[in-house]
Amino acid sequence: MKKLFERLYNGIVKENPIFTQVIGMCPTLAVTTSVGNAIGMGLATTVVLICSNAAISLVRKFIPSSIRIPSFIVIIASFVTMIELLLEAYIPALYSSLGIFLPLIVVNCLILARAEAYASKNNVISSIFDGLGMGLGFTLALTVLGAVRELLGTGKILNIAIMPASYQPAIIMILAPGAFFVLGILMALLNVYRSKKVAR
Amino acid sequence: MDLLLLFLGAMLVNNFVLTRFLGICPFLGVSKKVETAVGMGMAVTFVMALASVITHLVHKLLLVPAKLEYLYTIAFILVIASLVQLVEMVIQKSSPSLYAALGVFLPLITTNCAVLGVAIINMQEEYTLMESLVHGVGGALGFTIAIVLFAGIRERLDTNINIPEALKGLPIALITAGFMATAFLGFQGLIS
């Protein structure tokens, strides 16, 4: 039990995919124009990550190591296709706002990295929790980024006005450059926090 | 004329890295030196041009007649993975010096989302074979321009000692990329 919680903590805080490992950046920067999109993308990735980690862990002993990467990619691509079809059928609004980045979950390095680094070496239960932890860590990072960008760029969060009516939205925050600026500044703040922690 | 507009549009207006956010991983990872950035750009250009043509043919001649369009993600990623493998073998045999220069970046192109991205955009926009090729090459050259410019700036940032401690490394690189993206917004009105 303790080990499973350790996997969750590891994924969400200690080895957060975005803020510590810096992988899976394309969707991070592209879909965080609003909190809704960020959560949707994060959860879709989490589901794929859990399923692919579980499946890869199950078949890890049968896959020859020389063709493991192509096999992993095919497994991941199958789950992505399933998620894509499900979203298209049940949540068409999210499906269209995520657009091309939904099929591109296949090439999210985070998923392949977890398959290679963890699921191909560990049992099913801990692989599932590893996927859950990493997925939630990814979702958390995306949500923070989405919240900052949506708040500064539109003055609202989840379509609820937060800023006073006199606030002039900084449109650039929801355009492409805003993604780079906000992520850069968040990482710098995190560096400040870390160096203070070390100094103490 | 339309093809020229498509080419410029893919290269500058809808720049793959700075506007569409495709291929950010190599953009941040392989941009510490101009030389490696150029190598990466060339390899990606080559693979993207080939991938545009082949995925277009796979979609038109294989998936559509068999009514399996929903399997496009799996089909395209398989095409790209084997293509990268093939390109790797061909370069290794025909030009060992280029192979050594590209080194580890070649296999990494498989998980470069710009390649799968261009294949999917070609399919969604229903481009013809020629348009797909032009769009692929234009997009790839846009990627090359962005990564080479970015590497040039980063080389200078490395020698700058005035950067605050907290901003060193990735944060300042991201903010630099933000300014580059702002500059690329200027191309927005180029093609209406």
Side-chain angles (χ1 to χ4, degrees):
Chain A
M1 221 34 216
K2 206 177 154 215
K3 199 187 166 202
L4 301 182
F5 278 114
E6 187 265 321
R7 287 326 302 164
L8 287 183
Y9 176 76
N10 184 53
I12 299 172
V13 182
K14 219 168 110 200
E15 284 183 24
N16 187 290
I18 304 298
F19 292 124
T20 311
Q21 302 183 53
V22 200
I23 49 178
M25 300 304 277
C26 301
T28 312
L29 293 167
V31 301
T32 49
T33 47
S34 74
V35 176
N37 281 352
I39 295 177
M41 184 68 195
L43 292 183
T45 310
T46 308
V47 174
V48 173
L49 197 50
I50 294 173
C51 297
S52 69
N53 261 9
I56 287 164
S57 176
L58 277 174
V59 297
R60 69 184 191 278
K61 298 208 171 97
F62 308 108
I63 297 180
S65 78
S66 54
I67 57 152
R68 67 185 190 287
I69 301 287
S71 329
F72 294 167
I73 290 184
V74 173
I75 293 173
I76 296 168
S78 321
F79 285 117
V80 170
T81 306
M82 277 153 61
I83 295 286
E84 207 186 331
L85 294 174
L86 283 173
L87 281 184
E88 189 175 8
Y90 293 106
I91 323 179
L94 183 64
Y95 174 80
S96 57
S97 67
L98 292 183
I100 185 178
F101 284 93
L102 205 51
L104 285 182
I105 295 178
V106 179
V107 281
N108 187 331
C109 344
L110 169 63
I111 299 178
L112 196 61
R114 289 332 286 171
E116 170 80 1
Y118 199 85
S120 61
K121 299 187 185 82
N122 290 279
N123 65 35
V124 179
I125 303 291
S126 27
S127 298
I128 289 177
F129 273 80
D130 181 73
L132 182 63
M134 284 293 164
L136 290 180
F138 184 69
T139 311
L140 180 76
L142 254 65
T143 311
V144 171
L145 206 57
V148 174
R149 287 182 68 191
E150 195 178 357
L151 182 66
L152 296 176
T154 62
K156 300 173 188 167
I157 285 186
L158 289 172
N159 272 329
I160 303 161
I162 304 280
M163 293 294 204
S166 59
Y167 175 72
Q168 287 285 326
I171 307 282
I172 191 133
M173 285 301 163
I174 52 172
L175 294 178
F180 289 110
F181 290 140
V182 174
L183 188 62
I185 289 166
L186 282 179
M187 282 189 166
L189 290 176
L190 213 64
N191 280 348
V192 173
Y193 170 75
R194 279 191 193 125
S195 60
K196 283 214 173 117
K197 212 171 153 193
V198 169
R200 228 187 285 144
Chain B
M1 195 59 205
D2 283 348
L3 286 178
L4 183 68
L5 286 183
L6 183 68
F7 180 76
L8 287 177
M11 189 163 74
L12 299 174
V13 183
N14 288 316
N15 187 282
F16 268 61
V17 180
L18 296 168
T19 314
R20 288 195 201 260
F21 295 115
L22 295 169
I24 298 285
C25 290
F27 180 67
L28 292 175
V30 202
S31 56
K32 292 214 171 102
K33 283 218 166 65
V34 173
E35 261 173 49
T36 48
V38 173
M40 186 67 187
M42 279 176 358
V44 167
T45 309
F46 190 54
V47 174
M48 260 169 83
L50 273 176
S52 298
V53 172
I54 297 177
T55 52
H56 179 85
L57 295 176
V58 165
H59 183 247
K60 276 269 142 37
L61 302 178
L62 214 67
L63 296 180
V64 173
K67 298 212 167 44
L68 288 173
E69 287 108 318
Y70 63 91
L71 286 181
Y72 70 92
T73 316
I74 303 178
F76 286 3
I77 194 72
L78 276 178
V79 167
I80 292 167
S82 31
L83 191 65
V84 171
Q85 197 88 59
L86 186 78
V87 167
E88 203 180 334
M89 288 191 293
V90 169
I91 295 184
Q92 192 178 11
K93 280 270 180 272
S94 61
S95 162
S97 57
L98 182 64
Y99 180 77
L102 291 176
V104 67
F105 306 129
L106 264 178
L108 283 181
I109 298 174
T110 310
T111 51
N112 181 342
C113 46
V115 183
L116 184 59
V118 81
I120 295 175
I121 294 172
N122 284 341
M123 183 195 71
Q124 284 175 346
E125 300 282 329
E126 295 177 0
Y127 286 146
T128 62
L129 184 62
M130 198 57 209
E131 285 170 342
S132 298
L133 177 63
V134 169
H135 183 240
V137 174
L141 288 179
F143 173 86
T144 311
I145 291 176
I147 195 172
V148 171
L149 289 176
F150 188 52
I153 300 175
R154 280 186 87 175
E155 274 189 358
R156 291 182 181 215
L157 280 178
D158 269 354
T159 54
N160 189 332
I161 50 166
N162 290 325
I163 301 170
E165 197 57 44
L167 282 173
K168 273 189 184 146
L170 206 55
I172 193 77
L174 282 166
I175 292 169
T176 310
F179 283 116
M180 283 178 66
T182 319
F184 268 74
L185 279 183
F187 288 119
Q188 217 56 258
L190 192 65
I191 295 165
S192 53

